[in-house]
Each structure stands twice: as C-alpha cells, then as structure tokens.
Amino acid sequence: MVLAVIPARGGSKGIPRKNVRLMHGKPLIYYSIQNALACSYIDDVVVSSDDEEILSIAAMYGAKAMNRNSALAQDAVTLDPVIYDAVLRMEQETGKTYDVVVTLQATSPLLTVETLDGALKSFLESDFDTYISAVNKPHLSWTTKDGRCVPNYEKRLNRQQLPPNFLEAGAFLITRRACMSENNRIGANASVYEMPEKEAIDIDSYADWIVCEQELSKKRILFRVDGYRELGMGHIYRCLTLAYSLTGHEILFVTREDRTEGYQKLLDSHMHVQSVGSDEEFYALAGKWQPDVIVHDCLNTEREYILQLKQLAKRVVTLEDIGSGADVADATINALYEDDSKGENYYWGEKYVCLKDEFLIAPCAEYHEQVKNVVVLFGGSDPSDFTYRAYNLAKKMHADFPHISFRFVLGAGYDNHVHKLSDDEACKIKVVTDIKRVSDALSDADLAITSQGRTVYELAAMGVPAIVLAQNERETKHTFAQMHNGFLNLGMGNQVSDETLEKTFRFVVETPQIRAEMRNLMLSHDLRKGIERVKQLILADE
C-alpha cells in the first residue's frame, strides 16, 4: 500500500496564504492533490495542515483532511515528525499498513503525474529504501578553503562534459515505511530520481510564482501553413512572426511535405516542424499532439474541414480565408480584406496586420523632394514575373533619371535563371536575393514598385510611396492598397501595359507633392499594434 502525505501549513510569510492562493484559476495545493489522486500507484492521499481553509479545500478536492497538532505547526519543526504523525494516524484510522510513503510538496505545481508515476514505478522495482527527487545541474563550481576561493574541479570542461551534479528538488520524497521514524524519512540505501528541471520549481518567492503561473497558462498552438512558388512565402513569414511573438507557449508547425520552399524555410527557422502528405495525416497528427489552438493559414477552407479541426482543438483560427470554412472557425482574421456583412467571428482590415518584428522597430524612411532610390519587390516568388518588367523599365529610365538608383529585392522562390537579372552599374541597378531584413532595403527608399499583397503594409509602416500591380484576381480584392491610403494602384498587372507603367512612374517621380501626400496618408495608419490584436484572438478562451 502506498500513502501520499501533503504537508501544508497555513502560516506562510514569504507569500501570504500561499497554499490556497489561486494559481491559474486553482488553489496552489490543488495541483499536488490532483497528482496524487491520479497517480497509478498511490492508494490514499492525506493533507496534513493546521489551517481550516486548507483542510476545507483538501476535502473539496478529494483528499483526506487531517488537522495537524499545533505543536507540529511551529516554524522550527521539520517535516519528518509531521509526515510520521500523518502516517501513524492514517494507519490507526484506516486499519491499513502502508509499505511506501510519498511526501508531496504543495509548492511544486509543475510536477506532472507522468513523472510521479515513473518515479514510483522505478522505486517499487528497485531495492532502494528512499528516492529523493532531484535535477541534474552540472556546472563549474567553487568553494572556500583556508580562506581562499578554490575550484571544485580539476579541468575546465563544457557543461555537457561535466559529471552529474544532482540538486534536491523537493517535489517529492519516496521512502519505505520500515525506514521511517519520528525524526527521519531517509533510509540507509537512498538514491535520487532525476526529474525534468521545468517540473522542479518550488515556490518560495513571487518570482517562482510568476514562472509557474506562466508555465501553467501556456498553450499548445499548432500552425498549419504552406509556402511554395505559386503561392509565395508570405503565409510562412506571417506564421513565423506570430510564433516568435508567442514566447512561452508550445509551438508546432505542420506543412505539406511537397511544399518544399516553405518546409525548408520553417526548418531554417529552427522551429518544431512536421510534414504531412494529406489532410488525413494532418488530422491524425493533430489528434496525437492535442493542441489547444490550431492556426490555419492555407487560404480558403471548406466548412467540413474546419468542423473536423474543431473536433481536434479547443479553438480554431483561420487567416486570410474566404472559403465556407471561415464561417464556422472560432475566429477568421483577414487583414487584407474588409466585409462587414460577415458574422461576428470575422475580424477585418488593417487592425489585424501582422508586421514582422523589424517593421515594429524600424524608423520611417525620410522624405526627399527628389527621388534618389527606388526599391522593387514582388514577394517570395513573383509568379507573374513583374520583376523583369520593372527591370527593363529601370534600364530605360536611367537615361532620363540618371540620379536614381534601383534596388531589386528577389524572393527566395523567384526563378532568376530565366532572365538572369544581375547588377548593372551603368544603370545604377542592384539585385539582391532573399535578404534577411527587408526594412533595411526600404529605409532609404523614396518610391517602391510592388504587388498587392502583405508587402503594402510594410511599405505603409515605413512611409514609402508605392506603385502597385496585382498578381492575380485575389489580390485585387485586397482593399488597403488604394490611393486614399497612399498607393497608386494600377489593378491587374498583366492588364497594365509597359507604357502605362512608365507614365505612372514618371508622374510619381516628377510630382514631389503627390509623393509627400502619399507618404502622409500611409503614416496616418497605426499598423504596429495589429500583431497584439491577433495574438489576443489566438489565445482567447472560449
């Protein structure tokens, strides 16, 4: 028979009422009681306390509540006589004889039942008298000897090469009943049971409390996203931006195994990534991982598909989705579209744009009366190859505007082997590929030529006037890139002649007051708080 004893005094001074204060919505002592009750090897659970509130809560959650003698509740009293007293009284009241006694601390809320089960299983299969919970923290350490600081090592090694250094965790102590006495719980043949460092936090201070509260509050968030040449890489970058901002939560990326460009980018980001070959594989993976939230960023979804995801997670959030599935998602966020006719689960427009970190801290580009620098960027892959058209325009314009420098920013998915775009010093053209910080390319830009995707928000955040060509019909529905927001939008790019593009370019370059007004309209929008709004929607509780 195995007895778990949870000692819990009511007179905590460091954190008043520590054992009964709510942590993540539950009294602190709740977590140790639940672990003990759920443990496969524990038969009885008793809470020993001198506090009526603690005893009432213990009984409410299913533990035996034992009123501790006041003599055992003094500051100087150690745990040994407290635990011994609880064991004796439980044996008298139940008529049972316990073989093993587990001391569980109420101040270790991160201990999991899996770790406790593993420790008891190992102990019961061993010949040891006592297991002490511990964490392995090998470090180079020093001590004092004869008034001098001296090292505890002979040779300096990397931490991974150091011998084990076990520190008592205090989360639990397992001992055989025969080894116990009023002043001792540790048998002659004792060992340590290594537990995860994350689970070993013992709440002694408010700092410990904050760490545990955060750990218990974290969610498992699964991002389902693809990136490839035809679609571009914008979805990948957006989900990475969100994931980076969700520090403290457990993140998993899932992508199609045949979407190699996006898969590689996710691998390069060092995030946790898994690939799937079909929706059925995705359902199975999500069912096994058990996310709290699924964030879906693969464009339009079907109603049945989202309903299936809602069976696998407490909350489903879909991004840039105008399919039938968007109607039944818990939240549908479309920063690029606006449609007030949709339901309450829709969140539209610029308020929900997710700018990358670099655009949250980058200063705006300065305004110049004369255009000196033009940047050309058409996303990750530019399937319509507007980049090449702009490249030819730049060469042609050099004769009339020799003072203008052109910088072409090619995405990772752009096929530069077709036209072999390269630097042209004579025409002041610079070509760069897949740069790490796009904001650096925009910092001194006076004008941009771009597509109608998420890049328009980045340009607006930097205050760079832009000429816009839509890559496809879907992009024409993006409502932000319009003149009233500071953009000269020419519509579907494949329907815009080279002559129209040239005339528009000349007009903007030669009309500084237009560019000044475009810049002012862009900077009138506060786009830097959008990511916080999207995070709140992802983390919202139903």
Side-chain angles (χ1 to χ4, degrees), residues 132-144:
I132 300 171
S133 59
V135 291
N136 182 17
K137 301 189 76 170
H139 283 286
L140 296 174
S141 62
W142 292 62
T143 189
T144 56

Side-chain angles (χ1 to χ4, degrees), residues 228-234 261 377-389 410-416 418-419 450-454 469-475 492-494:
Y228 51 98
R229 175 173 170 76
E230 291 76 15
L231 179 66
M233 298 292 287
E261 297 93 341
L377 60 173
F378 282 99
S381 58
D382 185 16
S384 301
D385 205 5
F386 294 150
T387 303
Y388 183 61
R389 291 179 62 186
L410 309 185
Y414 182 75
D415 188 355
N416 194 27
V418 177
H419 296 114
T450 189
S451 53
Q452 203 169 329
R454 280 166 290 275
L469 302 172
Q471 291 271 10
N472 48 54
E473 287 291 343
R474 187 185 182 94
E475 281 197 0
M492 279 291 292
N494 58 15

Side-chain angles (χ1 to χ4, degrees), residues 46 86 187 193-194 239 258 301 316 409-410 418 424 509 515 528 530:
V46 61
Y193 184 84
E194 185 177 349
C239 287
D258 57 341
T301 60
V316 176
V409 180
L410 309 185
V418 177
D424 188 329
V509 169
R515 284 188 290 103
R528 302 181 186 228

Side-chain angles (χ1 to χ4, degrees), residues 389 393 396-397 490 495-507:
R389 291 179 62 186
L393 174 68
K396 184 177 181 180
M397 291 297 96
L490 300 183
Q495 297 176 12
V496 177
S497 66
D498 290 340
E499 180 183 7
T500 298
L501 181 59
E502 178 182 334
K503 286 182 178 180
T504 305
F505 179 83
R506 289 181 180 275
F507 169 71

